Each structure stands twice: as structure tokens, then as C-alpha cells.
PDB file of all heavy atoms in Angstrom:
ATOM      1  N   GLY Z   1      41.210 -48.389  38.858  1.00  0.00           N
ATOM      2  CA  GLY Z   1      41.050 -49.684  38.242  1.00  0.00           C
ATOM      3  C   GLY Z   1      39.642 -50.178  38.202  1.00  0.00           C
ATOM      4  O   GLY Z   1      39.390 -51.316  37.799  1.00  0.00           O
ATOM      5  N   ASN Z   2      38.673 -49.466  38.722  1.00  0.00           N
ATOM      6  CA  ASN Z   2      37.282 -49.896  38.742  1.00  0.00           C
ATOM      7  C   ASN Z   2      36.699 -49.772  37.345  1.00  0.00           C
ATOM      8  O   ASN Z   2      36.982 -48.820  36.591  1.00  0.00           O
ATOM      9  CB  ASN Z   2      36.476 -49.061  39.712  1.00  0.00           C
ATOM     10  CG  ASN Z   2      36.911 -49.332  41.166  1.00  0.00           C
ATOM     11  OD1 ASN Z   2      37.304 -50.458  41.525  1.00  0.00           O
ATOM     12  ND2 ASN Z   2      36.813 -48.318  42.014  1.00  0.00           N
ATOM     13  N   VAL Z   3      35.779 -50.729  37.050  1.00  0.00           N
ATOM     14  CA  VAL Z   3      35.070 -50.722  35.754  1.00  0.00           C
ATOM     15  C   VAL Z   3      33.643 -50.296  36.019  1.00  0.00           C
ATOM     16  O   VAL Z   3      33.015 -50.818  36.925  1.00  0.00           O
ATOM     17  CB  VAL Z   3      35.112 -52.116  35.089  1.00  0.00           C
ATOM     18  CG1 VAL Z   3      34.309 -52.101  33.792  1.00  0.00           C
ATOM     19  CG2 VAL Z   3      36.545 -52.533  34.824  1.00  0.00           C
ATOM     20  N   PHE Z   4      33.213 -49.390  35.156  1.00  0.00           N
ATOM     21  CA  PHE Z   4      31.821 -48.939  35.313  1.00  0.00           C
ATOM     22  C   PHE Z   4      31.243 -48.771  33.934  1.00  0.00           C
ATOM     23  O   PHE Z   4      31.946 -48.558  32.941  1.00  0.00           O
ATOM     24  CB  PHE Z   4      31.710 -47.649  36.159  1.00  0.00           C
ATOM     25  CG  PHE Z   4      32.557 -46.515  35.614  1.00  0.00           C
ATOM     26  CD1 PHE Z   4      32.022 -45.605  34.743  1.00  0.00           C
ATOM     27  CD2 PHE Z   4      33.893 -46.388  36.012  1.00  0.00           C
ATOM     28  CE1 PHE Z   4      32.829 -44.613  34.300  1.00  0.00           C
ATOM     29  CE2 PHE Z   4      34.668 -45.376  35.527  1.00  0.00           C
ATOM     30  CZ  PHE Z   4      34.116 -44.444  34.620  1.00  0.00           C
ATOM     31  N   SER Z   5      29.869 -48.882  33.954  1.00  0.00           N
ATOM     32  CA  SER Z   5      29.108 -48.829  32.668  1.00  0.00           C
ATOM     33  C   SER Z   5      28.541 -47.436  32.484  1.00  0.00           C
ATOM     34  O   SER Z   5      28.056 -46.821  33.447  1.00  0.00           O
ATOM     35  CB  SER Z   5      27.981 -49.871  32.655  1.00  0.00           C
ATOM     36  OG  SER Z   5      28.506 -51.173  32.751  1.00  0.00           O
ATOM     37  N   VAL Z   6      28.583 -47.012  31.186  1.00  0.00           N
ATOM     38  CA  VAL Z   6      28.001 -45.696  30.807  1.00  0.00           C
ATOM     39  C   VAL Z   6      27.176 -45.881  29.533  1.00  0.00           C
ATOM     40  O   VAL Z   6      27.416 -46.793  28.742  1.00  0.00           O
ATOM     41  CB  VAL Z   6      29.085 -44.633  30.584  1.00  0.00           C
ATOM     42  CG1 VAL Z   6      29.810 -44.322  31.890  1.00  0.00           C
ATOM     43  CG2 VAL Z   6      30.062 -45.067  29.509  1.00  0.00           C
ATOM     44  N   ASP Z   7      26.166 -45.050  29.447  1.00  0.00           N
ATOM     45  CA  ASP Z   7      25.328 -45.130  28.214  1.00  0.00           C
ATOM     46  C   ASP Z   7      26.057 -44.444  27.048  1.00  0.00           C
ATOM     47  O   ASP Z   7      27.144 -43.851  27.196  1.00  0.00           O
ATOM     48  CB  ASP Z   7      23.963 -44.532  28.465  1.00  0.00           C
ATOM     49  CG  ASP Z   7      24.050 -43.090  28.935  1.00  0.00           C
ATOM     50  OD1 ASP Z   7      25.173 -42.488  28.880  1.00  0.00           O
ATOM     51  OD2 ASP Z   7      23.028 -42.464  29.253  1.00  0.00           O
ATOM     52  N   GLU Z   8      25.433 -44.522  25.897  1.00  0.00           N
ATOM     53  CA  GLU Z   8      26.038 -44.014  24.662  1.00  0.00           C
ATOM     54  C   GLU Z   8      26.258 -42.512  24.756  1.00  0.00           C
ATOM     55  O   GLU Z   8      27.295 -41.993  24.321  1.00  0.00           O
ATOM     56  CB  GLU Z   8      25.140 -44.349  23.446  1.00  0.00           C
ATOM     57  CG  GLU Z   8      25.082 -45.815  23.130  1.00  0.00           C
ATOM     58  CD  GLU Z   8      26.375 -46.367  22.613  1.00  0.00           C
ATOM     59  OE1 GLU Z   8      27.195 -45.589  22.043  1.00  0.00           O
ATOM     60  OE2 GLU Z   8      26.602 -47.564  22.729  1.00  0.00           O
ATOM     61  N   ALA Z   9      25.314 -41.771  25.304  1.00  0.00           N
ATOM     62  CA  ALA Z   9      25.422 -40.320  25.365  1.00  0.00           C
ATOM     63  C   ALA Z   9      26.570 -39.906  26.250  1.00  0.00           C
ATOM     64  O   ALA Z   9      27.389 -39.037  25.906  1.00  0.00           O
ATOM     65  CB  ALA Z   9      24.102 -39.694  25.839  1.00  0.00           C
ATOM     66  N   ASP Z  10      26.687 -40.574  27.419  1.00  0.00           N
ATOM     67  CA  ASP Z  10      27.744 -40.211  28.328  1.00  0.00           C
ATOM     68  C   ASP Z  10      29.107 -40.597  27.734  1.00  0.00           C
ATOM     69  O   ASP Z  10      30.115 -39.896  27.913  1.00  0.00           O
ATOM     70  CB  ASP Z  10      27.545 -40.926  29.676  1.00  0.00           C
ATOM     71  CG  ASP Z  10      26.305 -40.406  30.421  1.00  0.00           C
ATOM     72  OD1 ASP Z  10      25.939 -39.213  30.139  1.00  0.00           O
ATOM     73  OD2 ASP Z  10      25.739 -41.126  31.229  1.00  0.00           O
ATOM     74  N   TYR Z  11      29.121 -41.762  27.020  1.00  0.00           N
ATOM     75  CA  TYR Z  11      30.340 -42.225  26.410  1.00  0.00           C
ATOM     76  C   TYR Z  11      30.839 -41.228  25.398  1.00  0.00           C
ATOM     77  O   TYR Z  11      32.022 -40.872  25.360  1.00  0.00           O
ATOM     78  CB  TYR Z  11      30.113 -43.588  25.773  1.00  0.00           C
ATOM     79  CG  TYR Z  11      31.351 -44.165  25.113  1.00  0.00           C
ATOM     80  CD1 TYR Z  11      32.354 -44.759  25.899  1.00  0.00           C
ATOM     81  CD2 TYR Z  11      31.502 -44.090  23.734  1.00  0.00           C
ATOM     82  CE1 TYR Z  11      33.484 -45.248  25.290  1.00  0.00           C
ATOM     83  CE2 TYR Z  11      32.628 -44.587  23.137  1.00  0.00           C
ATOM     84  CZ  TYR Z  11      33.629 -45.175  23.910  1.00  0.00           C
ATOM     85  OH  TYR Z  11      34.757 -45.681  23.282  1.00  0.00           O
ATOM     86  N   ALA Z  12      29.884 -40.769  24.564  1.00  0.00           N
ATOM     87  CA  ALA Z  12      30.252 -39.797  23.533  1.00  0.00           C
ATOM     88  C   ALA Z  12      30.754 -38.519  24.154  1.00  0.00           C
ATOM     89  O   ALA Z  12      31.729 -37.907  23.699  1.00  0.00           O
ATOM     90  CB  ALA Z  12      29.065 -39.521  22.591  1.00  0.00           C
ATOM     91  N   SER Z  13      30.153 -38.097  25.303  1.00  0.00           N
ATOM     92  CA  SER Z  13      30.550 -36.858  25.948  1.00  0.00           C
ATOM     93  C   SER Z  13      31.942 -36.990  26.528  1.00  0.00           C
ATOM     94  O   SER Z  13      32.787 -36.095  26.413  1.00  0.00           O
ATOM     95  CB  SER Z  13      29.542 -36.499  27.031  1.00  0.00           C
ATOM     96  OG  SER Z  13      29.979 -35.364  27.735  1.00  0.00           O
ATOM     97  N   ILE Z  14      32.238 -38.180  27.123  1.00  0.00           N
ATOM     98  CA  ILE Z  14      33.536 -38.396  27.728  1.00  0.00           C
ATOM     99  C   ILE Z  14      34.597 -38.435  26.652  1.00  0.00           C
ATOM    100  O   ILE Z  14      35.690 -37.851  26.794  1.00  0.00           O
ATOM    101  CB  ILE Z  14      33.532 -39.692  28.531  1.00  0.00           C
ATOM    102  CG1 ILE Z  14      32.617 -39.560  29.770  1.00  0.00           C
ATOM    103  CG2 ILE Z  14      34.931 -40.099  28.970  1.00  0.00           C
ATOM    104  CD1 ILE Z  14      32.326 -40.879  30.492  1.00  0.00           C
ATOM    105  N   VAL Z  15      34.302 -39.151  25.537  1.00  0.00           N
ATOM    106  CA  VAL Z  15      35.282 -39.242  24.444  1.00  0.00           C
ATOM    107  C   VAL Z  15      35.574 -37.868  23.880  1.00  0.00           C
ATOM    108  O   VAL Z  15      36.715 -37.502  23.599  1.00  0.00           O
ATOM    109  CB  VAL Z  15      34.763 -40.180  23.335  1.00  0.00           C
ATOM    110  CG1 VAL Z  15      35.632 -40.107  22.086  1.00  0.00           C
ATOM    111  CG2 VAL Z  15      34.717 -41.626  23.848  1.00  0.00           C
ATOM    112  N   SER Z  16      34.527 -37.043  23.769  1.00  0.00           N
ATOM    113  CA  SER Z  16      34.702 -35.690  23.228  1.00  0.00           C
ATOM    114  C   SER Z  16      35.571 -34.859  24.135  1.00  0.00           C
ATOM    115  O   SER Z  16      36.453 -34.117  23.664  1.00  0.00           O
ATOM    116  CB  SER Z  16      33.337 -35.037  23.045  1.00  0.00           C
ATOM    117  OG  SER Z  16      33.467 -33.702  22.614  1.00  0.00           O
ATOM    118  N   GLN Z  17      35.375 -34.980  25.434  1.00  0.00           N
ATOM    119  CA  GLN Z  17      36.176 -34.197  26.361  1.00  0.00           C
ATOM    120  C   GLN Z  17      37.636 -34.629  26.299  1.00  0.00           C
ATOM    121  O   GLN Z  17      38.556 -33.782  26.318  1.00  0.00           O
ATOM    122  CB  GLN Z  17      35.638 -34.368  27.777  1.00  0.00           C
ATOM    123  CG  GLN Z  17      34.304 -33.701  27.983  1.00  0.00           C
ATOM    124  CD  GLN Z  17      33.736 -33.963  29.391  1.00  0.00           C
ATOM    125  OE1 GLN Z  17      34.396 -34.600  30.274  1.00  0.00           O
ATOM    126  NE2 GLN Z  17      32.506 -33.517  29.621  1.00  0.00           N
ATOM    127  N   VAL Z  18      37.844 -35.974  26.213  1.00  0.00           N
ATOM    128  CA  VAL Z  18      39.199 -36.470  26.176  1.00  0.00           C
ATOM    129  C   VAL Z  18      39.894 -35.980  24.908  1.00  0.00           C
ATOM    130  O   VAL Z  18      41.031 -35.517  24.913  1.00  0.00           O
ATOM    131  CB  VAL Z  18      39.219 -38.013  26.273  1.00  0.00           C
ATOM    132  CG1 VAL Z  18      40.619 -38.565  26.008  1.00  0.00           C
ATOM    133  CG2 VAL Z  18      38.726 -38.462  27.648  1.00  0.00           C
ATOM    134  N   LYS Z  19      39.185 -36.101  23.781  1.00  0.00           N
ATOM    135  CA  LYS Z  19      39.770 -35.667  22.486  1.00  0.00           C
ATOM    136  C   LYS Z  19      40.060 -34.183  22.483  1.00  0.00           C
ATOM    137  O   LYS Z  19      41.109 -33.742  22.018  1.00  0.00           O
ATOM    138  CB  LYS Z  19      38.837 -36.024  21.335  1.00  0.00           C
ATOM    139  CG  LYS Z  19      38.829 -37.516  21.043  1.00  0.00           C
ATOM    140  CD  LYS Z  19      37.923 -37.803  19.839  1.00  0.00           C
ATOM    141  CE  LYS Z  19      37.980 -39.295  19.471  1.00  0.00           C
ATOM    142  NZ  LYS Z  19      37.130 -39.588  18.310  1.00  0.00           N
ATOM    143  N   ASN Z  20      39.178 -33.352  22.989  1.00  0.00           N
ATOM    144  CA  ASN Z  20      39.395 -31.906  23.012  1.00  0.00           C
ATOM    145  C   ASN Z  20      40.603 -31.549  23.841  1.00  0.00           C
ATOM    146  O   ASN Z  20      41.409 -30.679  23.470  1.00  0.00           O
ATOM    147  CB  ASN Z  20      38.156 -31.192  23.564  1.00  0.00           C
ATOM    148  CG  ASN Z  20      36.972 -31.250  22.560  1.00  0.00           C
ATOM    149  OD1 ASN Z  20      37.199 -31.425  21.368  1.00  0.00           O
ATOM    150  ND2 ASN Z  20      35.753 -31.125  23.065  1.00  0.00           N
ATOM    151  N   ALA Z  21      40.788 -32.220  24.970  1.00  0.00           N
ATOM    152  CA  ALA Z  21      41.917 -31.915  25.837  1.00  0.00           C
ATOM    153  C   ALA Z  21      43.216 -32.292  25.146  1.00  0.00           C
ATOM    154  O   ALA Z  21      44.194 -31.521  25.127  1.00  0.00           O
ATOM    155  CB  ALA Z  21      41.775 -32.645  27.149  1.00  0.00           C
ATOM    156  N   GLU Z  22      43.229 -33.468  24.492  1.00  0.00           N
ATOM    157  CA  GLU Z  22      44.421 -33.906  23.799  1.00  0.00           C
ATOM    158  C   GLU Z  22      44.739 -32.976  22.627  1.00  0.00           C
ATOM    159  O   GLU Z  22      45.905 -32.637  22.369  1.00  0.00           O
ATOM    160  CB  GLU Z  22      44.233 -35.336  23.298  1.00  0.00           C
ATOM    161  CG  GLU Z  22      44.197 -36.358  24.438  1.00  0.00           C
ATOM    162  CD  GLU Z  22      43.937 -37.776  23.923  1.00  0.00           C
ATOM    163  OE1 GLU Z  22      43.678 -37.866  22.667  1.00  0.00           O
ATOM    164  OE2 GLU Z  22      44.020 -38.725  24.681  1.00  0.00           O
ATOM    165  N   PHE Z  23      43.666 -32.565  21.896  1.00  0.00           N
ATOM    166  CA  PHE Z  23      43.855 -31.705  20.714  1.00  0.00           C
ATOM    167  C   PHE Z  23      44.424 -30.362  21.120  1.00  0.00           C
ATOM    168  O   PHE Z  23      45.355 -29.839  20.490  1.00  0.00           O
ATOM    169  CB  PHE Z  23      42.511 -31.540  19.993  1.00  0.00           C
ATOM    170  CG  PHE Z  23      42.587 -30.631  18.799  1.00  0.00           C
ATOM    171  CD1 PHE Z  23      43.145 -31.055  17.606  1.00  0.00           C
ATOM    172  CD2 PHE Z  23      42.138 -29.323  18.905  1.00  0.00           C
ATOM    173  CE1 PHE Z  23      43.219 -30.203  16.562  1.00  0.00           C
ATOM    174  CE2 PHE Z  23      42.215 -28.483  17.844  1.00  0.00           C
ATOM    175  CZ  PHE Z  23      42.764 -28.909  16.638  1.00  0.00           C
ATOM    176  N   GLU Z  24      43.909 -29.848  22.252  1.00  0.00           N
ATOM    177  CA  GLU Z  24      44.377 -28.537  22.688  1.00  0.00           C
ATOM    178  C   GLU Z  24      45.824 -28.638  23.155  1.00  0.00           C
ATOM    179  O   GLU Z  24      46.650 -27.743  22.865  1.00  0.00           O
ATOM    180  CB  GLU Z  24      43.500 -28.021  23.823  1.00  0.00           C
ATOM    181  CG  GLU Z  24      42.127 -27.573  23.354  1.00  0.00           C
ATOM    182  CD  GLU Z  24      41.239 -27.102  24.510  1.00  0.00           C
ATOM    183  OE1 GLU Z  24      41.719 -27.168  25.653  1.00  0.00           O
ATOM    184  OE2 GLU Z  24      40.122 -26.651  24.218  1.00  0.00           O
ATOM    185  N   ALA Z  25      46.140 -29.764  23.831  1.00  0.00           N
ATOM    186  CA  ALA Z  25      47.516 -29.902  24.281  1.00  0.00           C
ATOM    187  C   ALA Z  25      48.448 -30.012  23.106  1.00  0.00           C
ATOM    188  O   ALA Z  25      49.524 -29.379  23.043  1.00  0.00           O
ATOM    189  CB  ALA Z  25      47.634 -31.145  25.189  1.00  0.00           C
ATOM    190  N   GLU Z  26      48.058 -30.836  22.125  1.00  0.00           N
ATOM    191  CA  GLU Z  26      48.896 -30.998  20.926  1.00  0.00           C
ATOM    192  C   GLU Z  26      48.985 -29.713  20.141  1.00  0.00           C
ATOM    193  O   GLU Z  26      50.051 -29.352  19.620  1.00  0.00           O
ATOM    194  CB  GLU Z  26      48.324 -32.130  20.054  1.00  0.00           C
ATOM    195  CG  GLU Z  26      49.238 -32.451  18.873  1.00  0.00           C
ATOM    196  CD  GLU Z  26      48.697 -33.619  18.080  1.00  0.00           C
ATOM    197  OE1 GLU Z  26      47.646 -34.199  18.455  1.00  0.00           O
ATOM    198  OE2 GLU Z  26      49.325 -33.962  17.049  1.00  0.00           O
ATOM    199  N   LEU Z  27      47.847 -28.970  20.099  1.00  0.00           N
ATOM    200  CA  LEU Z  27      47.830 -27.710  19.372  1.00  0.00           C
ATOM    201  C   LEU Z  27      48.780 -26.708  20.011  1.00  0.00           C
ATOM    202  O   LEU Z  27      49.541 -26.010  19.295  1.00  0.00           O
ATOM    203  CB  LEU Z  27      46.408 -27.159  19.332  1.00  0.00           C
ATOM    204  CG  LEU Z  27      46.233 -25.819  18.599  1.00  0.00           C
ATOM    205  CD1 LEU Z  27      46.631 -25.951  17.126  1.00  0.00           C
ATOM    206  CD2 LEU Z  27      44.768 -25.333  18.719  1.00  0.00           C
TER     207      LEU Z  27
END
């Protein structure tokens, strides 16, 4: 439940990892 701040680069990297994992699972 903790909130933490990330810069744009890290945000993009995290979103990419999340999307890739979901895509592979769905695939």
C-alpha cells in the first residue's frame, strides 16, 4: 500500500514489464 515516486524512464520501464508479462500470459 505504500506510494512512491518514479521518474518517467523508470515508469516507462515498469509499464513495459507489466505489459509484456500480461501479453505473454494472454498469448
Side-chain angles (χ1 to χ4, degrees):
N2 292 327
V3 177
F4 55 93
S5 298
V6 294
D7 57 10
E8 292 292 335
D10 292 334
Y11 181 78
S13 175
I14 292 169
V15 170
S16 176
Q17 290 176 4
V18 171
K19 287 183 176 181
N20 289 337
E22 291 177 354
F23 178 76
E24 287 178 359
E26 186 177 358
L27 180 62

